[in-house]
Amino acid sequence: MLDTTFENGALEGRSLPEAGTINFKPLDANHANILMIGYGLAWLTLTTGWITVNLLGVVNSSLFPGYSFLILPPLPVPFIVILCRLSAERCGYALRERDVHYKNGIVWRNEASLPFNRIQHVEVERGPLERLFGLSTLKFFAAGGGSADLKIPSLPEAEAANLRAYILEKAGADHDDA
């Protein structure tokens, strides 16, 4: 007779593996440049609007008499540069036997993991800035999801293609084993 007993015993905290043992590989050094260009363009758009509104006299403010409103736009630029550099340094990915990991974030830190046996599709995406620097984003799709479940940005083009092929092979092998 087939044994259908279901057991789900509790694990003690001491027997769990340490999560800190994952060795993350940093993203390409140009990831910071891509972040700075993206945030810089957003800031330039806001700055253009700010200057236009003030030059046209749409807003009359005693707080910024004359052309003193022009001192505000450059103030955040050093912070944008510093935050983009820090953000890029905190990003990384790791490939293990059965899963792929990605971490990012400065204040709100995020670490995501996706087992190969859940991966249905892997896509290589190259936006205009990534093409400029010869980089790609690897997007992973799992069963039941319409959007990417995990994204690893700023990978060198050849490395992204190799990782995609390897992960699809491992995902297919894991699906065959299931």
Side-chain angles (χ1 to χ4, degrees), residues 58-170:
V58 175
V59 176
N60 292 321
S61 172
S62 60
L63 194 60
F64 300 106
Y67 291 100
S68 64
F69 63 88
L70 294 173
I71 64 170
L72 282 181
L75 291 178
V77 172
F79 296 105
I80 291 172
V81 171
I82 290 168
L83 288 175
C84 287
R85 294 259 178 235
L86 278 174
S87 178
E89 288 175 10
R90 301 279 168 97
C91 293
Y93 73 96
L95 197 61
R96 300 191 315 172
E97 286 182 39
R98 297 188 181 274
D99 52 20
V100 60
H101 296 262
Y102 176 69
K103 70 172 185 167
N104 66 343
I106 298 172
V107 177
W108 288 275
R109 295 184 182 180
N110 181 36
E111 188 174 319
S113 174
L114 188 60
F116 293 146
N117 64 1
R118 287 203 52 234
I119 296 173
Q120 296 289 316
H121 175 68
V122 182
E123 185 176 294
V124 176
E125 180 180 85
R126 300 186 74 225
L129 288 177
E130 288 178 314
R131 285 195 309 271
L132 179 70
F133 291 103
L135 301 174
S136 301
T137 294
L138 209 53
K139 295 169 68 173
F140 301 90
F141 297 84
S147 62
D149 292 284
L150 183 67
K151 293 181 185 180
I152 302 176
S154 298
L155 294 171
E157 192 175 348
E159 185 176 347
N162 290 338
L163 281 171
R164 179 182 183 274
Y166 174 79
I167 290 169
L168 284 174
E169 180 183 314
K170 291 292 286 182

